[in-house]
Amino acid sequence: MSSSQASPSPLPAAPAAEERLGFLLVFLAALAWSLGGTIGRFLGENDAWTNVFWRSFWAAAFLLAFMLWRDGLRGMLGLFRVMGLPGLVVAACFATASTAFVVALSYTTVANILLMQAGAPLIAALLAFLFFRERISFATWVAIVVVIVGVAVMVSDSLDGNVSPVGDGLALLIVVVFSLATVLTRRFADVRMTPAVCLGTLMAGAFALTQAATLAVSVVDMGFLFAFGAINLGLGLALFSTGARLIPAAYAALLATFETLLGPVWVWLVHGEVPSQRTLVGGSIVFAALLVHIGLEFRRQMRPQRPGTTGLPLPD
């Protein structure tokens, strides 16, 4: 494509080392997120909005401390000033997703939500293609389909036919806004999204404050809520917002499905909740698909870069 054509500038190809770091950071983010169910099992019977508020509070505190350590006060304030509209949209996406998840649990099963979340890689790939013409390789499409099949097997045991249009609508909203945040984080790689996700936790906490019946919790619950916010949500968001800037959107969303894969494993190991046979079979399918796909991607990175590889925009 000639540089004189009036078309969007192509995304710069990330060095292989940066892409590998991006894969690792997004995987670690999924690992942190996968602890949510295990931590949540330790909480007492508190109002859901109370838990959302304190989780958001500790997540925001962690992210602010992280940015202060990394960038200093002036640098942190500068990041908030320059994140612009993309950062505001990402913040709204994360706030919407975290809030919609809590509300959706009142209308539908976790299985229904997880099944729809499995479509995040596909939706992210479609959004990246439709809005930014980002090429998605055939191998990635195959991996996405296999992951969707595997997660569908994992959650199929819990589907009881009691489908709520409101609950499923909220679950679909979670997938769409998370996919949009993933695409924007990759597309605007020159803008650090950590302040955006921090703002998102503040927005979610502010909304939860208007809905919570009480903010009082026990000392033990506060400890678990700290872990729920700072480690599960805050650390996960910091890792994801950093790593997703370095890899194509479809890969970031694909790796994020490790949250769905590993979550039941931790609950089984810590709380003795034994996964069903379908969960084990589906998890094996997802795990194998991700390992094979990531292995092939690392192998591709060892070869010289060629035009038209995944993550670059399609020519006009």
Side-chain angles (χ1 to χ4, degrees), residues 7-291:
S7 59
S9 301
L11 290 173
E18 288 191 3
E19 285 197 351
R20 285 194 290 269
L21 177 61
F23 278 114
L24 176 62
L25 292 176
V26 174
F27 169 74
L28 291 176
L31 183 62
W33 287 335
S34 71
L35 299 173
T38 301
I39 298 173
R41 284 284 189 266
F42 285 111
L43 294 174
E45 295 296 328
N46 295 317
D47 176 67
W49 291 107
T50 303
N51 290 338
V52 171
F53 170 80
W54 285 115
R55 187 192 189 204
S56 300
F57 173 86
W58 289 120
F62 174 90
L63 291 169
L64 288 171
F66 171 74
M67 286 186 289
L68 279 172
W69 168 78
R70 185 188 64 184
D71 307 300
L73 179 59
R74 293 182 61 183
M76 181 187 70
L77 295 177
L79 290 175
F80 276 104
R81 286 195 299 266
V82 303
M83 69 181 184
L85 182 59
L88 292 175
V89 174
V90 169
C93 286
F94 276 100
T96 301
S98 59
T99 302
F101 180 80
V102 175
V103 180
L105 290 175
S106 301
Y107 291 94
T108 189
T109 64
V110 174
N112 283 46
I113 300 173
L114 290 177
L115 182 57
M116 290 197 181
Q117 285 182 340
L122 179 59
I123 295 176
L126 289 174
L127 291 177
F129 173 78
L130 292 174
F131 293 115
F132 302 119
R133 309 191 69 192
E134 187 172 317
R135 185 186 297 276
I136 303 299
S137 71
F138 177 76
T140 300
W141 286 117
V142 172
I144 288 171
V145 171
V146 173
V147 167
I148 292 174
V149 171
V151 176
V153 174
M154 289 175 64
V155 302
S156 61
D157 265 347
S158 300
L159 297 176
D160 56 8
N162 296 324
V163 178
S164 165
V166 175
D168 285 350
L170 290 170
L172 180 59
L173 176 63
I174 295 170
V175 178
V176 172
V177 296
F178 178 79
S179 300
L180 179 59
T182 301
V183 172
L184 290 175
T185 301
R186 164 63 180 175
R187 180 65 179 182
F188 297 94
D190 57 323
V191 178
R192 290 185 179 179
M193 291 299 178
T194 309
V197 296
C198 180
L199 178 59
T201 62
L202 291 172
M203 293 167 65
F207 182 79
L209 182 60
T210 67
Q211 305 297 314
T214 177
L215 297 182
V217 296
S218 68
V219 174
V220 174
D221 272 1
M222 184 61 77
F224 286 120
L225 285 167
F226 170 80
F228 208 14
I231 298 175
N232 171 236
L233 185 57
L235 178 61
L237 289 176
L239 291 168
F240 182 83
S241 64
T242 304
R245 297 169 56 240
L246 305 176
I247 59 177
Y251 294 159
L254 192 66
L255 284 169
T257 59
F258 265 109
E259 175 192 1
T260 306
L261 172 64
L262 296 176
V265 175
W266 308 138
V267 176
W268 168 49
L269 293 175
V270 176
H271 297 283
E273 294 183 7
V274 181
S276 69
Q277 184 178 5
R278 291 187 184 183
T279 298
L280 295 176
V281 171
S284 298
I285 293 173
V286 174
F287 190 71
L290 289 173
L291 285 184

